[in-house]
Amino acid sequence: MTHRPFIVGNWKMNGTRAMLAEARAIDRAAERFPDVQVALAPPFTLINTLREAVSAMNVGGQDCHAEVKGAHTGDVSAAMLADIGADFVILGHSERRRDHGETDAAVRAKADAALTAGLAIIVCVGETLEERDAGKAEAVVSGQVSASLPVGDDAQAAAAAGKIAVAYEPVWAIGTGRVAAVEDVVAMHAAVRARLNAAYGEAADKVRILYGGSVNAGNAADLLSAADVGGALVGGASLTAEAFLPIIAAAGSGEA
């Protein structure tokens, strides 16, 4: 199945209302590339405001709690994200796994909650440098895919697959300036696709696999043209229209 490339900016813990001008500029750029699905995941504090400020882009959250409500100080539920206009949520980012001790089981519970709330999900997977150097990269990532994604009977799987993307982000490449070799990205995406096929059967074709990890204007074209790379999850380069637009352009057609 052919998909529109999915280019997602993850603003992480960056962004105040002063950055809405950048978001509007990115949105205007997205209008020029209708063959690309563009999205931003700002901090929770900006989701509603950004949703009202843009028209061409999707807007999402960077995390959610697995419970619908309750005594979970500082957390945000998937239902709350949907209520303020979020289209999707990023789950299992390596920074969440590292800094908050999130397990595959916790990510899967959040994924179930997000899908129940009507959100699309981007589930992040990736290996550390030590795991890659030990020759365990594909085994680690394949295991994360199997344990982090929701599964069910054939009908449930087919319905869920259409709202799922997987982002392969080698941990050692996130924010470091290092980028995985294209051949390594292709090999890992093939391993992820094999696990998706096992989990969802024919419906797995609906799942896009994104690459993330120091994606920028200089490397986006090579990465996005690689086999089974369905888009990119972009960190620092998504914070300004100037840096993000060339990545959007590399995924689409037209003039930047």
Side-chain angles (χ1 to χ4, degrees):
M1 176 179 289
T2 302
H3 296 283
R4 292 165 71 201
F6 192 20
I7 306 299
V8 184
N10 177 13
W11 279 8
K12 305 188 180 183
M13 199 172 71
N14 298 288
T16 61
R17 285 178 294 175
M19 284 185 64
L20 288 175
E22 292 292 345
R24 292 188 184 98
I26 293 168
D27 190 60
R28 290 194 297 272
E31 291 177 343
R32 305 207 301 272
F33 297 92
D35 54 340
V36 181
Q37 183 179 357
V38 181
L40 285 179
F44 293 129
T45 54
L46 284 183
I47 291 173
N48 188 49
T49 306
L50 199 153
R51 173 75 283 166
E52 294 176 348
V54 303
S55 59
M57 293 190 300
N58 294 122
V59 178
Q62 299 174 18
D63 183 50
C64 70
H65 199 280
E67 298 295 331
V68 175
K69 59 183 178 179
H72 305 289
T73 300
D75 284 307
V76 175
S77 73
M80 291 172 177
L81 291 180
D83 184 58
I84 59 172
D87 303 300
F88 69 94
V89 62
I90 299 169
L91 301 171
H93 193 282
S94 65
E95 291 159 0
R96 298 286 313 177
R97 293 178 186 259
R98 179 196 66 206
D99 297 343
H100 299 272
E102 291 189 1
T103 63
D104 292 335
V107 174
R108 179 171 170 178
K110 292 181 177 189
D112 286 332
L115 291 170
T116 297
L119 299 175
I121 60 174
I122 300 171
V123 175
C124 300
V125 296
E127 82 283 2
T128 64
L129 184 59
E130 291 75 18
E131 289 164 340
R132 173 159 286 276
D133 287 344
K136 299 177 180 179
E138 288 190 15
V140 167
V141 171
S142 295
Q144 289 176 338
V145 172
S146 294
S148 299
L149 293 180
V151 294
D153 61 30
D154 291 344
Q156 290 174 324
K163 304 199 74 171
I164 294 172
V166 174
Y168 166 56
E169 294 194 301
V171 176
W172 46 270
I174 298 172
T176 65
R178 297 181 59 182
V179 182
V182 172
E183 57 268 29
D184 291 333
V185 173
V186 170
M188 189 63 80
H189 280 222
V192 171
R193 180 63 64 190
R195 287 301 175 105
L196 292 172
N197 290 340
Y200 300 115
E202 292 183 0
D205 288 343
K206 300 177 182 179
V207 181
R208 285 173 290 191
I209 308 174
L210 316 181
Y211 174 76
S214 296
V215 179
N216 57 48
N219 58 40
D222 287 341
L223 290 165
L224 292 168
S225 64
D228 215 354
V229 176
L233 182 58
V234 184
S238 71
L239 294 175
T240 66
E242 181 181 11
F244 200 30
L245 174 54
I247 300 172
I248 298 170
S253 58
E255 295 297 324

